[in-house]
Amino acid sequence: MKNLLLFCLLLLTTFVSVAQSESVLKGKIVDENSNPLHSVSVRLLNSQYGAVTNKDGQFLIKNIPAGNYTLNVTRIGYAETNLPVRISGNESEISIVLNPSYQQLSELTVTAEKREEPAQRLPQSITTLSSRAIEDYNIKNLNDLTAISPNLYSGDPGDKRSVTSIRGIVTTSYDPAVSTYIDGVNQFGLDTYISQLYDVDRIEILRGPQGTLYGRNAMGGVINVITRQPDNTLSGFADISYGNNNQQRYTAGIRAALIKDKLYFGAAGMYEGRDGFYTNEYNNSNYDKQHSILGNYYLKYLINPKWDVSLNAKNIANRNDGTFPLVFGKDAAFENPFKLNQNAITEMVDNIFNTSLSINYSGQTFNFSSQSAYQSDYRYYKTPIDGDFSPLDAVSIFNNYGKKWNNVNVFTQELKFTSPASSTRRFNWTTGAYFFHQNSPNKQATVYGEDAGLLGSPDINFSSINTTTAKSTGVAVYGQETYRASKKIDLTVGLRYDYEHKYQEVLGQIKKDPDPIYDFQSDTSATANFSAFSPKVGLTYHYSKEDIAFITYSTGFRAGGLTPLSSDPSQEPPLYEFKPEHSNNFEAGIKNTLLNKKLILNASLFYTIVSDVQVPTLVLPDAVTITKNTGQLTSKGAELEVNALPVKGLEIDYNFGYTHAVYNKLKVPGDNGEVDLEGNRQIFTPDITSMLAAQYSIAIGRKKNVQLFARGEWRYLGKQYFDLENTIDQSAYSLLNTRFGVNLKNISVSFWGRNLGDQKYILYAYDFGAVHLGNPKTYGATVALKF
C-alpha cells in the first residue's frame, strides 16, 4: 500500500509538472578564438535535460520547467565549466566561451552528497579525478590511489582485496572502514570488492566520516567510482598495453543511442594478466601469475524528460596462481626480495557479479531515485593452499566445497529524495532510506600434515572443519539539509539512524584419524542487534564568488558483529559479540580558485576520536579472525592540495598529508596475559603522504593537431607500521613514475614506467609476521584508440 501511494504521488507530481510553464534554453558555444565548437555536452545538473552542440556550436533544450539551474558544459580537450542559468518565460538564450584545458582548470562535478554539485563549492575535503587525470596518473586499480589523495594509503597481500586507510582510519576486517561505491553501489565488503578500474569517468575520494549520507563502514571516508555512460553520441575506445613481466591489458568499449533520445546502450570489457613478480624456489616457477576478465554493461531508457530507467551489470573473473606471495619476517623479505618457498600450490578462483536497477525522476518539486542492487562473489582455492607459507607439509587450507559455500550474496535497496534542480528556495535537501541483506556461507578445513610437529602442533594428520552461516540485515533512514542563511553563510545539518541484525551459526568438527567419524562436533548459533545515530553539523562561509571556508562536525561507525573466541571449536562460548566502532570528526578547511581559474588551492585540518576500536587478530594456522573492541584512537593532521597552470602547456599537481594517529588506550592478548600498547601508532598509516606531478604538453603541426606530452611523478610515503605492537615497520620511501607520448586526433601512443628506482618496500604485512612487498620496477607501452 505504501509503495502504491508513493507511485500515485509521483505520478500526480508528473502531471502537475507538465501542466506548469515550461521553457526553451538555446545557445552557442565557441572557443577562445570565437570558432564554433561541435560535440560539446550541455546538461542541467540533477536533471535529464541536456543536448549536444551541432557543427555550428549551437544547442537547444526544450520543455524545461522555469527555475534556477546549474549548466554543466564539457568537451574533450577543454576545461569543464559550470554556469548558473535562470530559465523563465518561453525562451532563454546564452553564449558560452570554452577555454582549452591548458589555459584553465576544470570545474569538476561530483555526487559526493548524493546530488550533482561543483566540487569546489562543496564544504568537504574531497579529491576528484577526471577521466583525463586517471589516464595521466595511469591508474589501473584502487591501490594506485595511494598518496594521490592526501593521507590515503591502500595495499593488498596479493589477492586484490585491499586494506585502505584514510587519515588513520583503517580497513582491517571484512567490514571496511572506508566504503567504496561503484556506480552508486556499495562494494559491501572485501568479498564483493572490485579493485580493477577501466572505462572510468571520474573518481571522488571523500576524506573524513561520511556516516550521515553513507551509513555503515564510512568512518574514514568514501571512494566513489563512476564509469562512463552512453548518450546520443556514438563513441568508443580500444586500448592495448604491454609491459615487462609479460604485463598485458586489453580494453574496449562502445556507447551509442539505439533510439535517439530514448534508448542508450554501453558495453566495455577488459582482459589483464601478468607473470608473477615472485619466484617460488620450491619448484622454480612464477608464483603469483594471474589474469582477470571483466565486463561492464549498461542499458538506459529515457521514458520522458522526467523519468528514466537504467540497468547495469558487471562481471569479473579473477584467476591467481599464487594468492598469497608472503615471506615470514621483514629481514627475509628484503634479503631475498621477490622469492619465497611454498609447497602447497594452487589456483584461486574468484568470480564476482554485480547488477543494479535504477529508476530516476526529476520533477519541479523534488527529485526521486530508487536503486536495487545485487552482488555475489564465489571465491575458493581449487586444491589446498599453503597455510604455513613454507616448504613443510605442515598446514594447508581447503575450502572447495561447491557453490553452496564461500559464495557471498548481498542485496541492497536505496530510496532517495532530493530538492529539485530548479529550486529557487534557500533550502537544498536530501533524504532517503536504505535496506540491505547479506548472506555469507563459509566452509573451510585446516589440515595438519606430517610436518605439523615442526611448527609446534601436538597433532599430526589432524583436521578441523569450521562451517559458518552468517546473515546480516539492516535498515536506515537519513536526511541532510543545507540552508542559505545569507549570501555568504550556509548552515548544514544532517542525521542518520541505522539498525542492523546479525545471525551466525557455527558448526565445528575435529578429526584426528582416518576414521570418518568426527572426534568432536559443536553446533551453536547466536544473534546480535546494533543501532547507531550519525549526526552532522557544518557551517560554510563564502568569502568570495569562487572561494569558501568551512567547519564541520561529522560522525561515522563500523558495524559490530559476532566472532569466534578461538580457532578451537570446542571452546565455550564459541561466539562473542563485539560492538560497533564509532568516530567523531572535527574539521576546518578552505577552498580557493584563483588567478582566473589557473590555480586551485585547498587546505584542511582534522581531529578524529575513534572509540570501541575493533581489533582483528588472524589466528594461525587455521586462518580464523578474532575481533574484539579493545581500544581508543586519536588521529589528527593536515592536508594540502594544489593544482596549477603556471605557463601554457604546463600543469602541476601537489598533494600533502600529515597524520598523527595514536592509540590512547589499547590492550591486546599476549603469550603471558594482556599487553598494554597505549601510545602505539595506527597500522597502515604513513605519517606523511606527498605527491608531486608535473606534465608538459605542446601542440605541433600545421593545424596544431598533434600533441606531445611528458609527465613525471614523485610520491613520498612516511614511516608506517603493520602490526599493533609496532614491530613490523616500513621506513619512509619515495617512488618515481613517468609517462610520455603523443596524442593525435583519435589515437595516442604512450610509454610509462612505475617505481623507476626499483624501490623495495613493504606494501602489506600481517601481524603474525608474513610480509608482501610492493611491485618492483615496471614499464611498458600503451596504444589507445578513441572515437
Short mmCIF file of all heavy atoms in Angstrom, two decimals, residues 118-165:
data_model
loop_
_atom_site.label_atom_id
_atom_site.label_comp_id
_atom_site.label_asym_id
_atom_site.label_seq_id
_atom_site.Cartn_x
_atom_site.Cartn_y
_atom_site.Cartn_z
N PRO A 118 29.26 21.21 -8.14
CA PRO A 118 30.66 21.50 -8.42
C PRO A 118 31.53 21.21 -7.19
O PRO A 118 31.20 21.63 -6.07
CB PRO A 118 30.66 22.99 -8.76
CG PRO A 118 29.26 23.27 -9.21
CD PRO A 118 28.39 22.38 -8.37
N ALA A 119 32.62 20.50 -7.38
CA ALA A 119 33.42 20.05 -6.25
C ALA A 119 33.97 21.20 -5.42
O ALA A 119 34.04 21.10 -4.18
CB ALA A 119 34.57 19.18 -6.76
N GLN A 120 34.36 22.29 -6.06
CA GLN A 120 34.97 23.39 -5.33
C GLN A 120 33.96 24.18 -4.49
O GLN A 120 34.36 24.98 -3.65
CB GLN A 120 35.67 24.35 -6.30
CG GLN A 120 37.06 23.90 -6.73
CD GLN A 120 38.02 23.79 -5.57
OE1 GLN A 120 38.31 22.70 -5.09
NE2 GLN A 120 38.52 24.92 -5.10
N ARG A 121 32.70 23.96 -4.72
CA ARG A 121 31.68 24.65 -3.93
C ARG A 121 31.16 23.78 -2.80
O ARG A 121 30.25 24.17 -2.06
CB ARG A 121 30.53 25.09 -4.82
CG ARG A 121 30.97 26.00 -5.97
CD ARG A 121 29.82 26.36 -6.89
NE ARG A 121 30.31 26.86 -8.18
CZ ARG A 121 29.52 27.15 -9.20
NH1 ARG A 121 28.21 27.00 -9.08
NH2 ARG A 121 30.02 27.58 -10.35
N LEU A 122 31.71 22.59 -2.65
CA LEU A 122 31.24 21.64 -1.65
C LEU A 122 32.09 21.79 -0.38
O LEU A 122 33.32 21.67 -0.44
CB LEU A 122 31.37 20.22 -2.20
CG LEU A 122 30.56 19.12 -1.53
CD1 LEU A 122 29.07 19.39 -1.68
CD2 LEU A 122 30.91 17.78 -2.15
N PRO A 123 31.48 22.05 0.77
CA PRO A 123 32.24 22.24 2.01
C PRO A 123 32.71 20.91 2.60
O PRO A 123 32.24 20.45 3.63
CB PRO A 123 31.23 22.94 2.93
CG PRO A 123 29.91 22.43 2.48
CD PRO A 123 30.03 22.26 0.98
N GLN A 124 33.65 20.30 1.92
CA GLN A 124 34.11 18.98 2.29
C GLN A 124 35.48 18.73 1.68
O GLN A 124 35.77 19.22 0.58
CB GLN A 124 33.11 17.94 1.79
CG GLN A 124 33.35 16.54 2.29
CD GLN A 124 32.19 15.62 1.94
OE1 GLN A 124 32.39 14.48 1.61
NE2 GLN A 124 30.96 16.13 2.00
N SER A 125 36.32 17.96 2.37
CA SER A 125 37.63 17.58 1.83
C SER A 125 37.43 16.45 0.84
O SER A 125 37.06 15.34 1.21
CB SER A 125 38.57 17.15 2.96
OG SER A 125 38.84 18.22 3.83
N ILE A 126 37.69 16.74 -0.42
CA ILE A 126 37.42 15.77 -1.48
C ILE A 126 38.45 15.92 -2.59
O ILE A 126 38.78 17.03 -3.00
CB ILE A 126 35.98 15.94 -2.02
CG1 ILE A 126 35.70 14.97 -3.17
CG2 ILE A 126 35.72 17.37 -2.44
CD1 ILE A 126 34.25 14.97 -3.60
N THR A 127 38.97 14.79 -3.04
CA THR A 127 39.83 14.75 -4.21
C THR A 127 39.03 14.19 -5.38
O THR A 127 38.42 13.12 -5.25
CB THR A 127 41.06 13.87 -3.96
OG1 THR A 127 41.82 14.40 -2.87
CG2 THR A 127 41.96 13.82 -5.20
N THR A 128 39.02 14.91 -6.49
CA THR A 128 38.26 14.47 -7.66
C THR A 128 39.21 14.26 -8.83
O THR A 128 40.00 15.14 -9.17
CB THR A 128 37.21 15.52 -8.05
OG1 THR A 128 36.42 15.84 -6.91
CG2 THR A 128 36.30 14.98 -9.14
N LEU A 129 39.14 13.07 -9.42
CA LEU A 129 39.98 12.72 -10.56
C LEU A 129 39.10 12.53 -11.79
O LEU A 129 38.22 11.66 -11.81
CB LEU A 129 40.76 11.43 -10.28
CG LEU A 129 41.69 11.46 -9.06
CD1 LEU A 129 42.25 10.07 -8.78
CD2 LEU A 129 42.81 12.46 -9.26
N SER A 130 39.31 13.34 -12.80
CA SER A 130 38.57 13.21 -14.05
C SER A 130 39.12 12.03 -14.84
O SER A 130 40.15 11.45 -14.50
CB SER A 130 38.71 14.49 -14.87
OG SER A 130 40.07 14.68 -15.25
N SER A 131 38.44 11.69 -15.94
CA SER A 131 38.92 10.60 -16.79
C SER A 131 40.30 10.92 -17.35
O SER A 131 41.15 10.02 -17.49
CB SER A 131 37.92 10.34 -17.93
OG SER A 131 37.74 11.52 -18.71
N ARG A 132 40.55 12.19 -17.64
CA ARG A 132 41.87 12.57 -18.13
C ARG A 132 42.94 12.38 -17.05
O ARG A 132 44.03 11.89 -17.32
CB ARG A 132 41.85 14.04 -18.59
CG ARG A 132 43.23 14.53 -19.01
CD ARG A 132 43.20 15.96 -19.50
NE ARG A 132 44.58 16.46 -19.60
CZ ARG A 132 45.06 17.42 -18.86
NH1 ARG A 132 44.29 18.01 -17.95
NH2 ARG A 132 46.30 17.84 -19.01
N ALA A 133 42.61 12.78 -15.80
CA ALA A 133 43.58 12.61 -14.71
C ALA A 133 43.85 11.13 -14.45
O ALA A 133 44.99 10.74 -14.17
CB ALA A 133 43.06 13.28 -13.45
N ILE A 134 42.83 10.30 -14.55
CA ILE A 134 43.00 8.85 -14.35
C ILE A 134 43.96 8.30 -15.39
O ILE A 134 44.82 7.46 -15.10
CB ILE A 134 41.63 8.14 -14.41
CG1 ILE A 134 40.77 8.57 -13.22
CG2 ILE A 134 41.79 6.63 -14.44
CD1 ILE A 134 39.32 8.19 -13.36
N GLU A 135 43.83 8.78 -16.63
CA GLU A 135 44.74 8.36 -17.70
C GLU A 135 46.15 8.89 -17.46
O GLU A 135 47.14 8.16 -17.62
CB GLU A 135 44.21 8.85 -19.04
CG GLU A 135 45.05 8.44 -20.24
CD GLU A 135 44.48 8.94 -21.55
OE1 GLU A 135 43.30 9.35 -21.57
OE2 GLU A 135 45.20 8.95 -22.56
N ASP A 136 46.27 10.16 -17.05
CA ASP A 136 47.59 10.74 -16.82
C ASP A 136 48.33 10.03 -15.69
O ASP A 136 49.54 9.78 -15.79
CB ASP A 136 47.45 12.24 -16.48
CG ASP A 136 47.01 13.06 -17.68
OD1 ASP A 136 47.16 12.58 -18.82
OD2 ASP A 136 46.50 14.19 -17.47
N TYR A 137 47.62 9.71 -14.60
CA TYR A 137 48.25 9.01 -13.48
C TYR A 137 48.46 7.53 -13.76
O TYR A 137 49.09 6.83 -12.96
CB TYR A 137 47.39 9.16 -12.22
CG TYR A 137 47.55 10.47 -11.49
CD1 TYR A 137 46.52 11.41 -11.47
CD2 TYR A 137 48.72 10.76 -10.80
CE1 TYR A 137 46.66 12.61 -10.78
CE2 TYR A 137 48.86 11.95 -10.11
CZ TYR A 137 47.83 12.88 -10.10
OH TYR A 137 47.97 14.06 -9.41
N ASN A 138 47.89 7.03 -14.86
CA ASN A 138 47.98 5.62 -15.22
C ASN A 138 47.40 4.74 -14.11
O ASN A 138 47.99 3.73 -13.71
CB ASN A 138 49.44 5.23 -15.49
CG ASN A 138 49.57 3.95 -16.29
OD1 ASN A 138 48.64 3.55 -17.00
ND2 ASN A 138 50.70 3.29 -16.17
N ILE A 139 46.23 5.13 -13.62
CA ILE A 139 45.57 4.42 -12.53
C ILE A 139 44.88 3.18 -13.10
O ILE A 139 44.00 3.29 -13.95
CB ILE A 139 44.56 5.33 -11.82
CG1 ILE A 139 45.29 6.50 -11.15
CG2 ILE A 139 43.75 4.55 -10.80
CD1 ILE A 139 44.36 7.54 -10.57
N LYS A 140 45.27 2.00 -12.60
CA LYS A 140 44.70 0.74 -13.07
C LYS A 140 43.86 0.04 -12.01
O LYS A 140 43.03 -0.79 -12.33
CB LYS A 140 45.82 -0.21 -13.50
CG LYS A 140 46.76 0.37 -14.56
CD LYS A 140 46.04 0.73 -15.83
CE LYS A 140 47.00 1.23 -16.90
NZ LYS A 140 46.30 1.72 -18.10
N ASN A 141 44.11 0.34 -10.73
CA ASN A 141 43.34 -0.25 -9.64
C ASN A 141 43.33 0.70 -8.46
O ASN A 141 44.02 1.72 -8.45
CB ASN A 141 43.89 -1.63 -9.25
CG ASN A 141 45.35 -1.57 -8.86
OD1 ASN A 141 45.71 -0.94 -7.87
ND2 ASN A 141 46.21 -2.24 -9.62
N LEU A 142 42.55 0.36 -7.44
CA LEU A 142 42.38 1.26 -6.31
C LEU A 142 43.66 1.46 -5.52
O LEU A 142 43.84 2.50 -4.87
CB LEU A 142 41.26 0.74 -5.40
CG LEU A 142 39.85 0.80 -6.02
CD1 LEU A 142 38.83 0.14 -5.11
CD2 LEU A 142 39.43 2.23 -6.32
N ASN A 143 44.60 0.50 -5.54
CA ASN A 143 45.87 0.69 -4.85
C ASN A 143 46.66 1.86 -5.42
O ASN A 143 47.46 2.49 -4.72
CB ASN A 143 46.73 -0.58 -4.94
CG ASN A 143 46.22 -1.68 -4.03
OD1 ASN A 143 45.32 -1.47 -3.22
ND2 ASN A 143 46.78 -2.87 -4.17
N ASP A 144 46.45 2.16 -6.71
CA ASP A 144 47.18 3.25 -7.35
C ASP A 144 46.78 4.63 -6.83
O ASP A 144 47.42 5.62 -7.16
CB ASP A 144 46.97 3.21 -8.87
CG ASP A 144 47.61 1.98 -9.52
OD1 ASP A 144 48.55 1.44 -8.92
OD2 ASP A 144 47.15 1.58 -10.60
N LEU A 145 45.71 4.70 -6.02
CA LEU A 145 45.28 5.98 -5.47
C LEU A 145 46.14 6.44 -4.29
O LEU A 145 46.01 7.58 -3.84
CB LEU A 145 43.82 5.89 -5.01
CG LEU A 145 42.78 5.60 -6.09
CD1 LEU A 145 41.40 5.46 -5.47
CD2 LEU A 145 42.77 6.70 -7.14
N THR A 146 47.02 5.56 -3.81
CA THR A 146 47.87 5.92 -2.67
C THR A 146 48.61 7.22 -2.93
O THR A 146 49.28 7.38 -3.96
CB THR A 146 48.89 4.79 -2.39
OG1 THR A 146 48.18 3.63 -1.96
CG2 THR A 146 49.87 5.20 -1.30
N ALA A 147 48.47 8.17 -1.98
CA ALA A 147 49.15 9.48 -1.98
C ALA A 147 48.61 10.44 -3.04
O ALA A 147 48.92 11.63 -2.98
CB ALA A 147 50.66 9.34 -2.13
N ILE A 148 47.81 9.98 -4.00
CA ILE A 148 47.20 10.91 -4.94
C ILE A 148 46.20 11.79 -4.20
O ILE A 148 46.06 12.98 -4.49
CB ILE A 148 46.55 10.17 -6.12
CG1 ILE A 148 47.64 9.53 -6.99
CG2 ILE A 148 45.70 11.10 -6.96
CD1 ILE A 148 47.10 8.73 -8.15
N SER A 149 45.50 11.18 -3.26
CA SER A 149 44.68 11.94 -2.33
C SER A 149 45.43 12.00 -1.00
O SER A 149 45.97 10.99 -0.53
CB SER A 149 43.32 11.25 -2.13
OG SER A 149 42.49 11.99 -1.26
N PRO A 150 45.52 13.16 -0.37
CA PRO A 150 46.29 13.28 0.87
C PRO A 150 45.82 12.29 1.93
O PRO A 150 44.62 12.05 2.10
CB PRO A 150 46.04 14.73 1.31
CG PRO A 150 45.68 15.45 0.07
CD PRO A 150 44.95 14.46 -0.78
N ASN A 151 46.78 11.70 2.64
CA ASN A 151 46.52 10.80 3.77
C ASN A 151 45.75 9.55 3.36
O ASN A 151 45.05 8.95 4.18
CB ASN A 151 45.78 11.53 4.89
CG ASN A 151 46.67 12.53 5.62
OD1 ASN A 151 47.84 12.26 5.86
ND2 ASN A 151 46.12 13.68 5.94
N LEU A 152 45.89 9.12 2.11
CA LEU A 152 45.28 7.87 1.67
C LEU A 152 46.37 6.85 1.38
O LEU A 152 47.35 7.15 0.69
CB LEU A 152 44.42 8.08 0.42
CG LEU A 152 43.63 6.85 -0.07
CD1 LEU A 152 42.33 7.30 -0.74
CD2 LEU A 152 44.40 5.97 -1.04
N TYR A 153 46.17 5.65 1.92
CA TYR A 153 47.08 4.53 1.65
C TYR A 153 46.25 3.29 1.37
O TYR A 153 45.23 3.04 2.03
CB TYR A 153 48.00 4.26 2.85
CG TYR A 153 48.92 3.08 2.63
CD1 TYR A 153 50.13 3.25 1.97
CD2 TYR A 153 48.58 1.80 3.06
CE1 TYR A 153 50.97 2.18 1.75
CE2 TYR A 153 49.42 0.72 2.83
CZ TYR A 153 50.61 0.91 2.17
OH TYR A 153 51.45 -0.16 1.94
N SER A 154 46.67 2.51 0.36
CA SER A 154 45.94 1.30 0.02
C SER A 154 46.93 0.22 -0.41
O SER A 154 47.88 0.48 -1.15
CB SER A 154 44.94 1.58 -1.11
OG SER A 154 44.11 0.47 -1.35
N GLY A 155 46.72 -1.00 0.07
CA GLY A 155 47.58 -2.12 -0.29
C GLY A 155 46.88 -3.44 -0.06
O GLY A 155 45.90 -3.51 0.69
N ASP A 156 47.35 -4.50 -0.71
CA ASP A 156 46.77 -5.82 -0.53
C ASP A 156 47.87 -6.86 -0.45
O ASP A 156 49.00 -6.62 -0.87
CB ASP A 156 45.80 -6.16 -1.67
CG ASP A 156 46.52 -6.37 -3.00
OD1 ASP A 156 47.01 -7.49 -3.22
OD2 ASP A 156 46.59 -5.43 -3.80
N PRO A 157 47.57 -8.06 0.10
CA PRO A 157 48.59 -9.10 0.26
C PRO A 157 48.83 -9.93 -1.00
O PRO A 157 49.51 -10.95 -0.94
CB PRO A 157 48.02 -9.97 1.39
CG PRO A 157 46.55 -9.85 1.22
CD PRO A 157 46.30 -8.44 0.74
N GLY A 158 48.23 -9.51 -2.13
CA GLY A 158 48.41 -10.23 -3.37
C GLY A 158 47.14 -10.84 -3.91
O GLY A 158 47.15 -11.47 -4.97
N ASP A 159 46.01 -10.63 -3.20
CA ASP A 159 44.75 -11.27 -3.62
C ASP A 159 43.71 -10.27 -4.10
O ASP A 159 42.54 -10.61 -4.23
CB ASP A 159 44.17 -12.09 -2.46
CG ASP A 159 43.76 -11.22 -1.28
OD1 ASP A 159 44.15 -10.03 -1.25
OD2 ASP A 159 43.05 -11.72 -0.40
N LYS A 160 44.12 -9.01 -4.37
CA LYS A 160 43.25 -7.96 -4.90
C LYS A 160 42.20 -7.49 -3.91
O LYS A 160 41.24 -6.79 -4.28
CB LYS A 160 42.58 -8.38 -6.21
CG LYS A 160 43.54 -8.66 -7.35
CD LYS A 160 42.80 -8.93 -8.65
CE LYS A 160 43.74 -9.31 -9.77
NZ LYS A 160 44.68 -8.25 -10.11
N ARG A 161 42.32 -7.83 -2.62
CA ARG A 161 41.40 -7.32 -1.60
C ARG A 161 42.19 -6.34 -0.74
O ARG A 161 42.97 -6.73 0.11
CB ARG A 161 40.81 -8.46 -0.77
CG ARG A 161 39.94 -9.38 -1.59
CD ARG A 161 39.08 -10.28 -0.74
NE ARG A 161 39.86 -11.26 0.00
CZ ARG A 161 39.31 -12.26 0.69
NH1 ARG A 161 38.00 -12.38 0.72
NH2 ARG A 161 40.06 -13.12 1.33
N SER A 162 41.96 -5.05 -0.98
CA SER A 162 42.83 -4.02 -0.43
C SER A 162 42.41 -3.59 0.97
O SER A 162 41.22 -3.50 1.29
CB SER A 162 42.83 -2.79 -1.34
OG SER A 162 43.36 -3.12 -2.61
N VAL A 163 43.40 -3.29 1.79
CA VAL A 163 43.22 -2.55 3.02
C VAL A 163 43.43 -1.08 2.69
O VAL A 163 44.45 -0.70 2.13
CB VAL A 163 44.22 -3.01 4.10
CG1 VAL A 163 44.31 -1.98 5.22
CG2 VAL A 163 43.81 -4.35 4.67
N THR A 164 42.44 -0.24 3.00
CA THR A 164 42.52 1.18 2.67
C THR A 164 42.46 2.00 3.95
O THR A 164 41.63 1.75 4.83
CB THR A 164 41.37 1.59 1.74
OG1 THR A 164 41.45 0.82 0.53
CG2 THR A 164 41.47 3.06 1.38
N SER A 165 43.35 2.97 4.03
CA SER A 165 43.41 3.86 5.18
C SER A 165 43.26 5.30 4.70
O SER A 165 43.89 5.71 3.73
CB SER A 165 44.75 3.70 5.91
OG SER A 165 44.99 4.76 6.81
#
